[in-house]
């Protein structure tokens, strides 16, 4: 094992968890579109290499989903849609540097 500093200033996680029983969860076709929209907006702002956008499994707050978490600043966004992308990035912009 080799430990090293994180290569990104921020890491944005988009929950795409699905439940087989059909109960409420973040994951559906819209969540991958949300992830893609975040990635495109990060690149458009020139943040590629500073901010990473990834998808995750369950974050544990399905009833509030779709959920997006920004690490390491500890910001959590619930009920997120593609129309929220700019507001999320505006809020985290001071941490990008």
């Amino acid at each position: 094992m080799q430990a090293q500093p994180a290569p990104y200033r921020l890491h944005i996680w988009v929950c795409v968890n699905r439940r087989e029983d059909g109960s409420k969860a973040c994951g559906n076709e819209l969540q991958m579109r949300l992830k893609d929209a975040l990635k495109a907006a990060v690149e458009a702002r020139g943040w590629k290499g500073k901010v990473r956008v990834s998808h995750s499994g369950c974050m544990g707050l399905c009833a509030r989903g779709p959920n997006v978490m920004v690490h390491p600043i500890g910001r959590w966004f619930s009920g997120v849609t593609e129309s929220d992308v700019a507001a999320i990035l505006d809020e985290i912009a001071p941490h990008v540097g």
Side-chain angles (χ1 to χ4, degrees):
M1 177 175 75
Q2 182 182 34
Q4 56 194 11
Y8 305 102
R9 292 186 183 150
L10 298 177
H11 202 140
I12 301 171
W13 295 95
V14 179
C15 181
V16 298
N17 188 56
R18 291 178 185 242
R19 293 190 174 171
E20 296 300 320
D21 66 2
S23 58
K24 177 136 173 80
C26 293
N28 59 36
E29 66 280 351
L30 299 177
Q31 297 343 97
M32 290 307 286
R33 287 195 354 225
L34 172 60
K35 177 190 165 196
D36 292 342
L38 279 162
K39 285 180 83 162
V42 161
E43 188 167 347
R45 289 183 184 221
W47 294 354
K48 190 171 182 177
K50 296 178 185 179
V51 177
R52 177 79 177 176
V53 179
S54 299
H55 62 270
S56 75
C58 186
M59 294 181 176
L61 293 175
C62 301
R64 297 183 190 168
N67 293 291
V68 172
M69 178 179 61
V70 184
H71 180 78
I73 63 172
R75 284 303 286 146
W76 190 288
F77 302 92
S78 294
V80 179
T81 67
E82 287 181 66
S83 65
D84 298 315
V85 166
I88 290 171
L89 297 187
D90 288 346
E91 185 168 331
I92 67 171
H95 301 279
V96 176

